[in-house]
Amino acid sequence: MTSLSPSSSLSRIRIGSAPDSWGVWFPDDPRQVPWQRFLDEVADSGYEWIELGPYGYLPSDPAVLADETARRGLKVSAGTVFTGLHHGEAVWDKTWAHVSDIAALTQAMGARHLVVIPSFWRDDKTGEVLEPDTLTAEQWRNLTSLTERLGREVRERYGLTIVVHPHADTHIDSEENVSRFLDGTDSGLVSLCLDTGHYAYCGGDSVKLIETYGERIGYLHLKQVDPRILADVRAEGTPFGPAVARGVMCEPPRGVPELGPVLAAAQRLGVDLFAIVEQDMYPCAPDAPLPIARRTRAFLRSCGV
């Protein structure tokens, strides 16, 4: 375990958590805890900031959600959208209809970021292959140009910054693909949400990415992977959803990457950053998340945040 002394406070890093850490992947699923319980328990764990999670899980009425979060001492850091922009202009209208509702709620909650997750090339629940796992040159052009358009539209209409989230089983995953995406997009329109767990899952080095593309890092998701389980699922070609069910994403500090060095590298950027804990646990027993969240928050305090 690598941690920083409490005196070396990482003053530019704001810590939060998300429905993901309570096993929530979908707007409605009988295996997920009710949203009221999530809000109660995330506040009880010592977090101040949350993400909205899948749209429709938390109340989508801004007045209701503002009341429910405020009385628990919680604030919203970001909303999350899913996109398939590599498919080109044909999907723009459908994408914008999805994005605009979530962006409006995100703005109403006082948040400034919209986390953009690329569409999966295989289903996250069933593992069914939906399309090739690599993009053509034309699809890369679609992805980069339309992501820039999304960044411009979201900023102009809602005052939000998009942060694109590299994710396992999507086309923005490995170091090679993340670099290609960043090199192909305008830094004034597109920033990155670096998820330390997903990046490690796909073979990347989070500290190296921060040091190489520091000006593009706009947001962090803190997550670790169990290297033993990761080796097995990668050798077997296991889809991401079933890999999560096997426990590939684990409680810190039991996995990789070490979060102390990641947080230190982020602090050296000299900008304010959210660092939202996301331990993928879908599905999980309803009583499992709270003690993990409490321990994780205590661990992060030992790292100086």
Side-chain angles (χ1 to χ4, degrees):
M1 167 177 139
T2 298
S3 64
L4 307 175
S5 68
S7 61
S8 59
S9 174
L10 301 173
S11 58
R12 307 301 294 266
I13 309 297
R14 290 167 286 181
I15 294 293
S17 193
D20 192 35
S21 293
W22 268 256
V24 175
W25 276 12
F26 303 100
D28 183 39
D29 187 297
R31 292 193 283 184
Q32 298 175 171
V33 298
W35 63 266
Q36 296 93 334
R37 180 171 180 176
F38 160 69
L39 291 179
D40 287 342
E41 293 188 354
V42 74
D44 182 75
S45 303
Y47 293 102
E48 179 183 0
W49 295 93
I50 62 165
E51 288 184 2
L52 294 177
Y55 184 66
Y57 174 66
L58 292 175
S60 56
D61 182 328
V64 173
L65 184 56
D67 178 68
E68 295 287 351
T69 52
R71 65 189 184 86
R72 295 172 172 88
L74 298 172
K75 295 180 285 188
V76 175
S77 62
T80 301
V81 299
F82 290 85
T83 59
L85 295 175
H86 64 286
H87 292 297
E89 290 285 345
V91 302
W92 175 261
D93 288 345
K94 182 179 179 181
T95 300
W96 183 253
H98 165 68
V99 168
S100 58
D101 287 341
I102 300 169
L105 178 60
T106 303
Q107 179 193 46
M109 295 306 298
R112 301 289 300 276
H113 296 90
L114 198 63
V115 178
V116 177
I117 299 179
S119 59
F120 291 19
W121 56 264
R122 59 182 170 186
D123 188 88
D124 58 342
K125 206 169 188 178
T126 67
E128 177 191 358
V129 174
L130 306 173
E131 60 181 306
D133 62 356
T134 57
L135 298 179
T136 66
E138 180 182 7
Q139 288 174 322
W140 270 109
R141 287 191 294 271
N142 289 336
L143 176 61
T144 54
S145 64
L146 289 180
T147 303
E148 289 178 339
R149 180 180 175 184
L150 187 69
R152 184 182 300 108
E153 295 279 353
V154 166
R155 183 179 64 192
E156 291 178 354
R157 299 193 191 197
Y158 298 100
L160 305 176
T161 298
I162 66 167
V163 286
V164 176
H165 181 323
H167 197 293
D169 284 2
T170 76
H171 299 106
I172 307 176
D173 52 0
S174 63
E175 178 181 357
E176 177 185 1
N177 286 336
V178 170
S179 297
R180 181 172 181 175
F181 175 76
L182 290 174
D183 292 342
T185 49
D186 184 343
S187 61
L189 296 171
V190 180
S191 294
L192 200 73
C193 169
L194 169 57
D195 184 302
T196 60
H198 279 278
Y199 202 51
Y201 186 101
C202 298
D205 180 328
S206 289
V207 172
K208 178 184 175 184
L209 183 65
I210 293 170
E211 292 176 345
T212 305
Y213 287 98
E215 76 286 354
R216 304 300 295 276
I217 306 298
Y219 201 90
L220 297 174
H221 278 172
L222 301 181
K223 187 179 297 176
Q224 287 190 326
V225 295
D226 181 316
R228 178 182 53 82
I229 297 176
L230 178 62
D232 289 343
V233 300
R234 292 185 70 170
E236 298 163 13
T238 305
F240 179 69
V244 167
R246 287 173 59 175
V248 72
M249 297 299 181
C250 64
E251 177 182 344
R254 300 175 183 173
V256 295
E258 293 183 72
L259 296 181
V262 173
L263 291 165
Q267 174 75 7
R268 288 194 295 271
L269 296 177
V271 298
D272 293 330
L273 285 173
F274 282 106
I276 305 300
V277 175
E278 276 202 333
Q279 183 181 340
D280 290 303
M281 293 198 295
Y282 177 86
C284 68
D287 293 333
L290 179 57
I292 293 173
R294 287 172 172 162
R295 291 191 297 266
T296 300
R297 187 66 191 96
F299 167 71
L300 291 171
R301 287 192 187 98
S302 79
C303 293
V305 289

